Amino acid sequence: MALRKLEPGGVGHDVLRRAGDASVLILTSLAEGPKHGYALIQDVKRFSGVQLGPGTLYGALDRLELLGMIEALPVDARRQPYRITSAGAVALGEHLDALERISSVGRLRLGFGRA
Amino acid sequence: MPGTGHGRLLALALRCYPPQWRARHGDEARELAALLAQDGLPARSMAWDCFKGAARERVAQMRTTRRLRTGAAALVAATSLAAVSLLVSMSPAPAGAAGVVRADITSRHEAARQLAAVFKSHHFGISVVQLPVSPSLVGSILATKTTGHSTGNDGILGRITGTCAGGARVCTKGLLLASHFSGHMLVMVGRAAKPGEKYAESAEVFRPGELLAGSSLLGTTVAAAVPVLGRLDLSVLWKVDGDKHCSAITPHGWYHLTGGLAISAVSICLDVAPSAQPATGPRA
C-alpha cells in the first residue's frame, strides 16, 4: 500500500453540516457546560435568537448522542442533562472554523472586507 | 395548558413518536413544553414542532428497515404511519435504536478486536484488517472498502470521530452501520508497527504523537535541522517542493522544512521548499 498523507481535519465539520443547524447551536451551548433541555433552549435563544421547540431539540440531542458528540449525564430532578464530548468539541471547532472561512469569503465578495 | 385544546394537540403530537422515544423523552418533553408555555411559546407551534419531530423519527426508522427511495414518499408514509399509530394505538415494535449499530473503538490496542466483536455479534460480513501505522494513527479506522457483491456504502451511516493517539485531531474512532447491511466490507485499522516495519499509513510527522512532534523543526532551515535530526538517530530522506519521490540527497541548507511523513519508526521523508531569500546561499 502506498504511503499516503491524510487530510487534516474536515471530518467533524462534514458530520455537523449534515446533522443540521440545531445540532451546532446545541453543541455551542454545551461548550459552556452541561445543561438539560429547558436550560439549553433558553441559552440557545439568548445567544442566537433561535427558539428551539421540543421536537427539534430532542431530535438533535438523539443525533448528537448517536454520533458520540454529546453524552447523557445521570438524571437530575427528572431532567436529563447532557455534556459535550471531546469528539463533539473537536467537530464543533472544525465546523466553526469552516463557517468563519465562508463568512470571510462572503464578506469580501460583498465588499465588506476588513480594512 | 394540559386541559386546553392546544395542550391536547401537543399531547397528541407526542403520542405520534415511536414508543422508544416516548419512553425516554416523553415525560421530560411534556414538562419542557409546560415550561415553554409559561414563557409564552404558543402550544400550537410546539405541537407542530413535535409533529415534525415525530415524522422525522418515523422516517429514520423506515429508512433503516425498508430503505424508502424518495424523501417525499417517505415523509407521506411516515406521517400516515404516525397518524395510524395515534388512532389505533399501535403496539410497540422494537427498532434496535432505529436500526443503527454502533461500533466504537475505546482502546487503541484493542481496536481490531473491539470492532470485530461488534461485527460478529450482528452477523455482518465485515472483516477487520490491521495495518502498521505511524503512532498517532494506532487504534484508528484508516479506511473502509466494500468487496465483492455489495450494497456499496449503504451500510455506513456515519463515522464517529475523536482524538488521535497523542492528542492530534481528527481520527475515526468508530462507525455507525445500518443494522440491515448485508454486503461485504473490509475495515482497515491502524496498529503499532513492529521494529523496522514500514508504515502502511502515516500522518504528518510534526503533528502530536508523531516522531517530530514538539521538535520545533517545522519551518526551520535544512542547515539547522540536519544536526538535530542526526542526534535523533533517524534516517532522513528529502522531498524538494514539486518532487514526487523522496531522495537521500540533502537539499540546500537554506531550504526550509514544510512538512513530512514517517516511513517507519526510524526513517522519515521531509518536505522542503526554497526560502524566499536565501541569506547565505547554498551550504548544506
Side-chain angles (χ1 to χ4, degrees), chain B residues 66-263:
Chain B
R66 298 185 184 181
R67 305 172 70 194
L68 289 179
R69 295 292 179 193
T70 67
L75 194 59
V76 169
T79 308
S80 305
L81 188 59
V84 169
S85 164
L86 176 67
L87 292 173
V88 301
S89 298
M90 222 164 133
S91 60
V100 177
V101 173
R102 184 177 171 134
D104 273 304
I105 295 170
T106 56
S107 166
R108 287 203 306 276
H109 299 291
E110 297 288 319
R113 192 189 59 76
Q114 286 181 329
L115 292 178
V118 174
F119 299 151
K120 187 179 176 185
S121 70
H122 288 83
H123 308 290
F124 288 145
I126 303 177
S127 303
V128 180
V129 178
Q130 295 191 76
L131 299 172
V133 291
S134 63
S136 74
L137 299 179
V138 172
S140 299
I141 295 172
L142 308 169
T144 58
K145 183 183 178 187
T146 50
T147 57
H149 179 68
S150 172
T151 53
N153 281 326
D154 288 353
I156 299 179
L157 302 176
R159 288 172 164 75
I160 300 161
T161 56
T163 309
C164 309
R169 62 178 198 178
V170 172
C171 282
T172 303
K173 308 300 285 183
L175 296 172
L176 299 175
L177 299 151
S179 58
H180 68 265
F181 178 67
S182 58
H184 297 280
M185 193 190 302
L186 287 178
V187 174
M188 281 153 266
V189 176
R191 65 160 171 81
K194 296 165 188 163
E197 190 176 25
K198 279 191 176 179
Y199 298 144
E201 296 280 356
S202 184
E204 173 65 47
V205 75
F206 293 103
R207 83 169 184 169
E210 295 293 335
L211 276 173
L212 297 183
S215 67
S216 304
L217 289 177
L218 187 63
T220 60
T221 61
V222 169
V226 165
V228 178
L229 294 167
R231 285 196 293 276
L232 293 173
D233 209 16
L234 289 172
S235 166
V236 183
L237 299 176
W238 305 90
K239 190 158 71 171
V240 179
D241 192 26
D243 284 356
K244 287 184 178 177
H245 303 289
C246 301
S247 159
I249 301 169
T250 306
H252 298 297
W254 49 272
Y255 278 33
H256 65 275
L257 275 61
T258 59
L261 290 171
I263 298 166

Side-chain angles (χ1 to χ4, degrees), chain A residues 1-2 4-6 11 38 51 53-56 58 62 65-68 79-80 82 87 90 94 97, chain B residues 17 21 24-25 28-29 31-32 35-36 39 41 49 102 131 137 160-161 169-170 176 199-202 271:
Chain A
M1 184 176 296
R4 180 172 63 84
K5 186 178 282 194
L6 299 181
V11 182
Y38 184 56
Q51 174 72 61
T56 306
Y58 288 111
D62 286 345
E65 191 177 15
L66 195 63
L67 290 167
R79 292 175 180 179
Q80 176 73 73
Y82 294 87
V90 168
E94 285 185 355
D97 287 348
Chain B
Y17 276 94
W21 189 97
R24 184 170 185 209
H25 298 303
E28 196 184 356
E31 189 183 334
L32 176 62
L35 288 167
L36 292 173
D39 291 347
L41 190 66
D49 186 62
R102 184 177 171 134
L131 299 172
L137 299 179
I160 300 161
T161 56
R169 62 178 198 178
V170 172
L176 299 175
Y199 298 144
E201 296 280 356
S202 184
D271 298 322

